[in-house]
Amino acid sequence: MTDLTPITAGALVRTIGQAGLMAIAADAAVQTLDGSLPVAHLYPGDLVITRQGARAIAAIDQVTLPLGTAIVRLTKNALGGRPERDLWLPASQQILIRDWRAQAIYGQKQACVPAGQLADGEFIRVEVLETPMTGFALRFGRPAIFQADGLELVSADRLGVPA
């Protein structure tokens, strides 16, 4: 299990399974209305550019990825000019792909897929953490797709589907 400690005041600590972990590295550059900024410098209320338009961040969760967590290391340009630099993501972080991979692998023009499913062993590698790492999960109040280091990533919001 992974602890998520929301930075927003009054929010409670939640525990989620690693299978659904959505987070990015603290130095990942997120596209905002003020330009490209490291996620660690963002606050609730900041406006982020999403595929659905500019959205205010509702919450930013500081995520501790424990020893043994599967992460994906992407090299610069591994996905057709993206990411803009080397970076890591949890293997379960959803990425929107809109290139030949979406058509070839999923038979669609675009698809949201866990980063781990894109591993090729060379430019996109799955590794296991040997020491805990800290990342950040952006929440907008409802699911959104935002850009970090040139990748289109799915926010950590969950759909509220009644049981």
Side-chain angles (χ1 to χ4, degrees), residues 48-65:
V48 171
I49 299 168
T50 73
R51 297 220 7 115
Q52 299 80 17
R55 288 232 184 126
I57 297 171
I60 303 174
D61 300 333
Q62 187 171 344
V63 180
T64 301
L65 290 83

Side-chain angles (χ1 to χ4, degrees), residues 78-80 97-108 118 124:
L79 296 170
I97 55 172
R98 298 184 296 134
D99 62 5
W100 63 268
R101 288 169 192 81
Q103 190 64 46
I105 300 170
Y106 302 100
Q108 301 177 41
L118 299 173
I124 305 172

